[in-house]
Amino acid sequence: QVQLVESGGGLVQPGGSLRLSCAASGGIFRLYNLGWYRQAPGKQRELVATITSGGTTNYVDSVKGRFTVSRDNTKRTVYLQMNTLKPEDTAVYYCKADREYYEYWGQGTQVTVSS
């Protein structure tokens, strides 16, 4: 079984930055596609960024130019660097790993952008 643990969330002012980390145990990490999702109160879970096993990245339009997803296969960790944060970015952020029929989720970490 693959287990994912997010960290790095917290309270930040608008315009600030945070870096989220998601550490994975189990599985062959380099073969998994990885993604970051977020869910704000009363809203559906939203795909934020993805990075494939080959390193290809994609982003939802609202975070393009501000967020960067990356992975370190040696450390078995995927990151989400979030810059120029906006109040609209406030949500619980979850990481996901998927391969073939399998899909695994982390427990989530709270990001609050507020002055």
Side-chain angles (χ1 to χ4, degrees):
Q1 182 180 355
V2 173
Q3 293 184 329
L4 306 171
V5 180
E6 301 98 331
S7 62
L11 175 64
V12 65
Q13 293 186 339
S17 298
L18 285 173
R19 188 179 77 156
L20 306 183
S21 300
C22 176
S25 60
I28 306 174
F29 183 83
R30 61 181 173 83
L31 299 182
Y32 279 83
N33 299 310
L34 305 166
W36 287 95
Y37 293 73
R38 65 188 180 188
Q39 188 166 29
K43 302 186 70 176
Q44 291 186 333
R45 187 168 53 192
E46 174 189 34
L47 176 63
V48 177
T50 61
I51 182 166
T52 69
S53 60
T56 301
T57 60
N58 284 285
Y59 303 89
V60 68
D61 285 344
S62 60
V63 309
K64 286 182 178 177
R66 300 189 298 121
F67 291 11
T68 302
V69 62
S70 61
R71 65 191 294 163
D72 187 328
N73 290 338
T74 299
K75 296 182 177 179
R76 299 175 61 88
T77 301
V78 59
Y79 304 94
L80 185 67
Q81 178 67 47
M82 305 185 295
N83 299 325
T84 319
L85 283 161
K86 304 175 180 180
E88 306 93 274
D89 297 317
T90 296
V92 177
Y93 283 71
Y94 301 88
C95 64
K96 187 190 79 170
D98 67 272
R99 180 194 177 204
E100 295 180 332
Y101 306 106
Y102 305 100
E103 184 176 282
Y104 305 95
W105 292 87
Q107 85 288 350
T109 184
Q110 177 71 49
V111 172
T112 302
V113 184
S114 177
S115 59

